């Protein structure tokens, strides 16, 4: 099996050794604190375990500016979504350490505040998400964010306390290790935030066959779209499907603690970058991938194939092939699915 290197060639790992942890915990108790939102908690976890590699911190000014304008980090790596920690101007001070706490006041990390810079909500909304319409969930949420982004070296004490489905919460390194045991030449990832339907099962099986690879069912279980089915219910359905309806030698179910942005094409490309870090070299991209629905005029925020086109455009550079989510139709007389384009119109 050919080794699929992490995106950027390096897999970030900010988790401490036992010796570092004891020293850091004592030091952290003497510092001022910032309480993180659920979104920032998810982002911190993804940074710490290497899911956002090569990003090893919340974005500084140079990274932020270039991601907004060009979908790249300051070093040139493709990275289409901003990952920032926002605060109010008087919340922190430069060149000081601050403790990052979760919603229950547990210490997660210590940040040395090396940068504090203002950001423009409308600019980010327009350039990253293509709209300032408050019907876009992330755009509406941004109105509640602080006016200053902070960044600096992170020293992580522990990951967020997730008690559910612990055997499925695999880090990129753990996922890569399990995938290596399958021995297939390729890995195709399937991103989802919804329960799977029968057509999803068919499509994902075909995708794995098409690339002669293993299927990584990799659902987002961080923040998704308001009103989505909760991840507790969804994961139970994924487990049942993986156990009973897929070839156990060709499927791995793992959970992704990602806070989605519902950013359409840019988010689809981001998902591809992330899955590269988890060991995949192909990703299934659906119609209106990561789209939030319709805007205030009743029109979709993004075109149905915009995401597929953008991922395909960058596929060679990021090392992740794009497998399109093809429209299938069930033929009851033959008890099988077929692509719509191959079915005579009179039989549809």
């Amino acid at each position: 099996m050919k080794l699929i290197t992490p995106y950027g060639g390096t897999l970030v790992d900010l988790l401490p050794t036992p010796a570092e942890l004891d020293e850091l915990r004592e030091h952290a108790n003497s510092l001022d604190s910032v309480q993180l939102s659920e979104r920032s908690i998810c982002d911190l976890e993804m940074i710490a375990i290497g899911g956002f590699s090569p990003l090893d911190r919340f974005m500084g000014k140079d990274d932020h500016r270039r991601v907004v304008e060009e979908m790249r980090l300051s070093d040139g790596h493709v990275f289409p979504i901003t990952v920032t920690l926002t605060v109010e101007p008087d919340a922190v001070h430069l060149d000081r350490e601050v403790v990052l706490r979760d919603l229950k006041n547990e210490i997660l990390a210590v940040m040395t505040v090396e940068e504090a810079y203002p950001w423009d909500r409308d600019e980010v909304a327009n350039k990253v998400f293509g709209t300032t319409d408050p019907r876009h969930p992330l755009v509406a949420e941004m109105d509640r964010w602080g006016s200053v982004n902070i960044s600096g070296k992170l020293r992580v004490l522990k990951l967020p306390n997730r008690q559910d489905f612990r055997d499925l919460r695999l880090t990129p390194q753990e996922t890569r290790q399990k995938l290596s045991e399958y021995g297939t030449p390729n890995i195709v990832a399937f991103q989802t935030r919804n329960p799977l339907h029968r057509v999803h099962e068919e499509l994902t099986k075909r995708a794995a066959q098409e690339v002669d690879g293993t299927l990584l069912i990799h659902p987002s279980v961080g923040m998704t779209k308001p009103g989505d089915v909760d991840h507790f219910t969804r994961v139970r359905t994924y487990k049942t499907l993986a156990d009973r309806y897929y070839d156990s030698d060709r499927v791995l179910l793992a959970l992704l603690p990602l806070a989605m942005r519902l950013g359409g094409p840019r988010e689809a490309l981001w998902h591809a970058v992330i899955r590269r870090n988890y060991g995949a070299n192909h990703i299934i991209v659906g119609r209106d991938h990561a789209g939030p629905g319709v805007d205030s005029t009743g029109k979709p925020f993004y075109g149905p194939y915009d995401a597929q086109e953008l991922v395909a455009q960058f596929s060679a550079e990021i090392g992740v092939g794009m497998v399109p989510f093809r429209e299938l139709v069930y033929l009851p007389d033959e008890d099988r699915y077929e692509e719509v384009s191959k079915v005579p119109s009179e039989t549809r």
Side-chain angles (χ1 to χ4, degrees):
M1 176 181 179
K2 181 180 178 181
L3 180 65
I4 301 167
T5 59
Y7 181 62
T10 302
L11 194 60
V12 172
D13 182 358
L14 301 184
L15 300 181
T17 65
E20 292 171 331
L21 181 60
D22 290 340
E23 178 183 350
L24 191 55
R25 185 182 291 115
E26 182 176 350
H27 175 61
N29 286 323
S30 65
L31 302 175
D32 292 336
S33 300
V34 169
Q35 191 169 53
L36 302 182
S37 66
E38 181 58 34
R39 180 173 302 282
S40 293
I41 291 170
C42 290
D43 287 350
L44 176 63
E45 181 173 3
M46 288 292 289
I47 293 170
I49 63 178
F52 287 162
S53 298
L55 196 68
D56 65 355
R57 64 189 63 200
F58 291 97
M59 287 180 179
K61 185 177 181 179
D62 290 343
D63 280 336
H64 182 265
R65 180 189 298 113
R66 194 166 183 195
V67 167
V68 170
E69 296 288 347
E70 303 177 47
M71 298 193 296
R72 295 182 183 275
L73 297 173
S74 58
D75 64 6
H77 280 102
V78 174
F79 205 97
I81 296 290
T82 52
V83 178
T84 56
L85 179 57
T86 66
V87 297
E88 294 304 334
D90 58 351
V92 295
H93 301 280
L94 284 174
D95 301 320
R96 294 188 188 179
E97 292 179 315
V98 63
V99 168
L100 306 182
R101 296 179 181 266
D102 67 12
L103 297 173
K104 294 184 178 180
N105 221 33
E106 292 288 327
I107 296 175
L108 299 179
V110 172
M111 174 194 285
T112 302
V113 183
E114 299 168 0
E115 295 184 69
Y117 59 97
W119 65 288
D120 187 317
R121 287 180 175 83
D122 286 345
E123 180 186 34
V124 172
N126 270 317
K127 293 182 177 179
V128 178
F129 302 104
T131 182
T132 57
D133 190 329
R135 282 187 64 92
H136 191 295
L138 201 282
V139 171
E141 182 187 318
M142 284 164 54
D143 282 338
R144 304 191 297 271
W145 295 1
S147 60
V148 171
N149 292 332
I150 59 172
S151 177
K153 180 181 177 181
L154 290 169
R155 291 188 288 168
V156 176
L157 280 79
K158 67 174 185 176
L159 298 178
N161 189 22
R162 316 285 194 192
Q163 294 298 324
D164 58 308
F165 308 114
R166 297 182 71 172
D167 59 323
L168 299 178
R169 292 183 176 275
L170 306 179
T171 67
Q173 189 59 51
E174 291 167 341
T175 305
R176 286 169 159 274
Q177 177 58 43
K178 285 187 175 291
L179 289 171
S180 71
E181 297 168 5
Y182 288 77
T184 57
N186 295 301
I187 306 296
V188 58
F190 180 59
Q191 149 72 30
T192 181
R193 59 177 177 83
N194 293 309
L196 300 189
H197 301 292
R198 175 65 183 87
V199 72
H200 293 129
E201 177 194 346
E202 182 69 20
L203 174 87
T204 52
K205 287 179 176 178
R206 290 188 180 200
Q209 282 186 328
E210 182 179 324
V211 304
D212 186 22
T214 297
L215 174 67
L216 172 61
I217 302 177
H218 211 205
S220 295
V221 294
M223 297 177 69
T224 58
K225 182 181 178 183
D228 278 352
V229 176
D230 66 89
H231 80 269
F232 303 102
T233 302
R234 288 190 289 117
V235 173
R236 291 188 181 98
T237 68
Y238 304 145
K239 283 171 62 69
T240 298
L241 281 166
D243 291 342
R244 299 183 184 180
Y245 295 93
Y246 286 86
D247 180 352
S248 61
D249 293 330
R250 286 292 183 105
V251 66
L252 175 66
L253 171 63
L255 307 185
L256 182 70
L258 178 70
M260 293 183 63
R261 271 63 169 176
L262 301 168
R266 279 200 182 213
E267 177 131 356
L269 181 58
W270 193 43
H271 288 170
V273 166
I274 291 167
R275 272 29 182 255
R276 173 69 182 267
N277 290 327
Y278 279 84
N281 61 344
H282 293 79
I283 185 171
I284 299 169
V285 181
R287 293 178 76 257
D288 194 24
H289 187 108
V294 297
D295 62 21
S296 296
T297 69
K299 296 180 180 179
F301 280 99
Y302 311 110
Y305 302 108
D306 290 354
Q308 293 180 359
E309 291 172 1
L310 187 65
V311 175
Q313 178 185 336
F314 286 91
S315 176
E317 182 173 353
I318 65 175
V320 180
M322 194 279 294
V323 180
F325 193 122
R326 299 178 177 91
E327 189 174 358
L328 302 179
V329 63
Y330 181 65
L331 304 177
D333 292 342
E334 302 177 31
D335 189 26
R336 67 183 181 88
Y337 283 86
E338 187 55 271
E339 290 183 38
V340 170
S341 62
K342 298 179 181 179
V343 179
S345 58
E346 63 269 17
T347 64
R348 293 180 193 174

